[in-house]
Amino acid sequence: MNRIDRRFAELKADGRRALIPFITAGDPAPGYTVEFMHALVEAGADVVELGVPFSDPMADGPVIQKACERALAHKVRLTDLFEMVREFRQRDSDTPVVLMGYLNPVERIGMAAFAEQAAAAGVDGVLTVDMPPEEADELGPLLKQQGVATIFLVAPTTSRERAATICAHGEGYLYYVALKGVTGAATLNAEDVADHLAPLRELTDLPLCVGFGIRDGASAAEVGKVADGVIVGSALVSRIAEKAEQPELIAAELKAVLGEMRQALDALPAR
């Protein structure tokens, strides 16, 4: 049982929902990322998703695209993320860390080397946006050997047959994309999310976590009524962008945004 499984078991026992923030590593400058990770945990994060900067983040909207640009301007690479996670682990040995990104940087390092280095740094899960389960036959087993979970996305347009395949391969938790389109899209319908999660629960025991469109405490609570976890990215990354020239102020901003969501989720009745 790795940190992700342990954390979700604890949450289930307590009847609580997971709060999973996403930030792009190296944004607005590499020296602040570990500080931000600790701030997110202090504000109530149960899992931290750390975005791998990439020049062509096709699933992301302009907010996260620009975050990647800011990080890449400082030449942040995948190997730098391993150092960030290693530094984070010096103070936090419990909070799960998931790397979220695209396959190209992994292929540059080599899949076996990536799996080994990720595990050695203290990474608990990997979500590769452009790697469907049918193409995970090489990386998936390598990560599993290292005790690192392979996490997959499910979209509103995913067929039941394909969802069954994804669920069969998935580990850690399932990332349900609440909206069609890219990150940062605007309209979230919690009833629609509930309708899509119900059949997924028939296919898997994995925790179902919902991302895209979570902006504040109210939207987090609406989704938290039907999901096992709430994932928030653009709402945090946009705050980083606003204070990019004053990075010393960002940690407090992140704690304020995430803290509101934590309070809203904890105010919900226990499952």
Side-chain angles (χ1 to χ4, degrees):
M1 179 179 285
N2 76 3
R3 292 184 189 92
I4 298 174
D5 298 328
R6 188 160 57 245
R7 179 54 52 90
F8 276 101
E10 293 167 354
L11 289 165
K12 185 175 182 180
D14 293 340
R16 299 173 66 233
R17 288 80 168 170
L19 180 57
I20 307 176
F22 167 98
I23 58 172
T24 300
D27 176 32
Y32 292 94
T33 298
V34 175
E35 176 191 350
F36 296 167
M37 294 171 71
H38 287 303
L40 294 171
V41 173
E42 290 167 12
D46 296 297
V47 178
V48 174
E49 286 187 352
L50 197 57
V52 181
F54 185 53
S55 58
D56 186 24
M58 58 188 178
D60 294 302
V63 171
I64 294 177
Q65 286 178 16
K66 286 184 169 63
C68 286
E69 291 173 7
R70 290 190 294 272
L72 291 172
H74 292 280
K75 303 188 184 305
V76 175
R77 298 292 182 263
L78 182 51
T79 50
D80 297 316
L81 270 72
F82 297 146
E83 290 303 317
M84 293 172 183
V85 175
R86 192 172 284 110
E87 182 181 346
F88 175 76
R89 288 282 173 238
Q90 293 176 8
R91 281 179 47 196
D92 189 324
S93 60
D94 296 323
T95 304
V97 175
V98 173
L99 299 188
M100 184 172 181
Y102 296 82
L103 192 57
N104 184 270
V106 175
E107 290 178 326
R108 286 184 196 168
I109 293 176
M111 292 189 182
F114 168 75
E116 291 170 5
Q117 291 178 43
V123 172
D124 304 289
V126 172
L127 197 167
T128 309
V129 176
D130 53 348
M131 187 185 71
E134 296 88 348
E135 298 178 15
D137 289 346
E138 182 178 357
L139 182 58
L142 290 169
L143 291 171
K144 194 176 189 69
Q145 288 172 14
Q146 299 292 336
V148 178
T150 304
I151 297 165
F152 290 105
L153 299 164
V154 177
T157 54
T158 303
S159 68
R160 183 179 177 85
E161 180 181 9
R162 178 156 179 72
T165 299
I166 294 170
C167 290
H169 286 79
E171 299 170 327
Y173 56 91
L174 203 63
Y175 187 135
Y176 176 75
V177 178
L179 304 171
K180 299 174 186 177
V182 296
T183 56
T187 306
L188 177 67
N189 185 322
E191 291 184 6
D192 183 64
V193 171
D195 290 342
H196 282 86
L197 292 187
L200 288 175
R201 293 196 186 280
E202 298 173 2
L203 299 172
T204 184
D205 293 328
L206 287 172
L208 304 182
C209 300
V210 175
F212 288 46
I214 313 297
R215 297 179 174 276
D216 50 25
S219 56
E222 281 302 303
V223 171
K225 292 176 183 177
V226 298
D228 300 309
V230 170
I231 302 168
V232 54
S234 293
L236 297 172
V237 177
S238 63
R239 295 299 183 98
I240 294 173
E242 290 169 6
K243 294 288 191 294
E245 301 301 320
Q246 298 173 289
E248 68 279 2
L249 303 179
I250 291 174
E253 289 274 334
L254 298 178
K255 290 173 75 170
V257 175
L258 203 68
E260 178 194 348
M261 296 183 184
R262 179 77 272 170
Q263 289 183 351
L265 289 174
D266 288 347
L268 295 172
R271 287 198 178 281

